[in-house]
Amino acid sequence: MIINHNISALNAHRQLGANQGAVQNSLEKLSSGLGINKAGDDAAGLAISEKMRAQISGLEMAGKNAQDGISLIQTAEGAMNESHAILQRMRELAVQSANDTNTDSDRAELQKEVDQLAEALTDISKNTQFNEKDLLTGAFAEEGLTFHVGANQGQALSVKISDMSADALNVTEDYTVVANKAAATEAGQIYYQEAQEPVEAQTIEVTGNTFTYTDASGAEATATWADADSDPAGDGSLPATEAGYFSEDGELLLQADAPFDGDEAGTGTGTAEIAATKGTEAGYYNSDSELVIVTNDEIHAVDAEVKTGINISSQTSADAAITTIQSAIDNVSAERSKLGAVQNRLDHTINNLGTSQENLTAAESRIRDVDMAKEMMEFTKNNILSQAAQSMLAQSQQIPNGVLQLLQ
């Protein structure tokens, strides 16, 4: 018998510590409801469940993205619904004007409504926005809008939305291009000058009243200021350039690093980069010899000098307008149909995302969550063992007392 080391007490103490640790572990799991509270509980299970959690949260956000995409599509499609109503009214007016029971004055009044309806179409195109994005201006006609509808990289779909303005639908108001500036201003129409020969941008060297330039054939040519101010419209206006222009006094004004102004006599020296394509206040000819006209703060490029739109001022033009408007109606219908198909696709995507999220959550739960009944059994067992170890530790402390009997 020994008294320096109580081996029984040490054993009971060790078992008590282990049982109390097991009890604490069970209490932690029962309190949190999780079978894995720290990496030591299940290192592999922790790594797998965290990856699943990333997928679950990604699927949840992808569902929200798809819902936002549906909202955007509904905004665009709802605006086109009104565009359809406008086009139907325009077609109705064209059919009415095509009937020869109407006089020219009647048709003029019908034309006024058609012009206003065309303006309304463009207004809808400009003003239809979702989160400050213009939807119907053609901004997304080429690259399209991307909806990220998956939890991982590249899981996205794209939708293109065409320009739904009156100009794009070819039902814009009827432009009348005239050569007389005063008459055009009074009538609110487009003023143009005779077409200028388009050439490449060039450096024009001005010396005295003569400037040297490269003509359309690429050969070097010279001209005096008097030769340049051709005034084709006959009303005192002169052709302009991007980098300079002719003033009403016949001065060539050039914009280089600093403005170079020639006086009436054409004296001065300087060089400037000038695009030789010439134009007017209301429009200009571009490098493709297309007439680009500017009206209502918009730029319209057309292939001919006269931009023809919806004109129902005569029986013949009204009859032709019916087909033009019907084509526009068909284009809007096709666009709405496309957006509707994408919306249905997103609906199915949302349903699939919900199913995937549910299944992944169930799988993650099996790994991460604790079986409360089983863990309660473990807690009860470890709690009883802990109490028993405490009792045995107390009993083991009495064993050395037997040594006293040998000393009596």
Side-chain angles (χ1 to χ4, degrees), residues 52-76:
M52 287 184 173
R53 281 187 173 185
Q55 289 293 302
I56 292 168
S57 61
L59 290 171
E60 182 178 3
M61 184 52 65
K64 293 179 181 178
N65 288 347
Q67 290 285 2
D68 289 340
I70 289 176
S71 297
L72 183 147
I73 288 174
Q74 288 175 335
T75 301

Side-chain angles (χ1 to χ4, degrees), residues 89-90 92-99 102-117 310 312-313 318:
R89 175 57 180 166
M90 292 176 73
E92 181 182 340
L93 291 171
V95 172
Q96 180 181 357
S97 183
N99 190 13
N102 295 288
T103 65
D104 289 343
S105 60
D106 293 334
R107 290 186 172 114
E109 296 304 317
L110 294 173
Q111 181 68 49
K112 290 179 182 179
E113 183 176 353
V114 166
D115 291 343
Q116 290 300 315
L117 290 173
I310 297 301
I312 61 172
S313 58

Side-chain angles (χ1 to χ4, degrees), residues 7 19 58 72 104 114 163 169 171 177 187 220-222 262 266 280 293 319-320 336 350 355 358 405-406:
I7 303 303
N19 291 333
L72 183 147
D104 289 343
V114 166
D163 188 351
L169 294 172
V171 293
V177 185
E220 185 176 277
T222 61
T280 71
I293 57 179
D319 188 48
R336 292 183 68 186
I350 290 172
T355 301
E358 179 183 345
Q405 297 177 4
L406 298 177

Side-chain angles (χ1 to χ4, degrees), residues 174 198 255:
D174 183 36
Q255 179 68 50

Side-chain angles (χ1 to χ4, degrees), residues 138-145 158-162:
F140 304 105
E142 296 297 330
E143 295 184 1
L145 289 158
S158 179
V159 58
K160 297 180 180 179
I161 305 178
S162 301

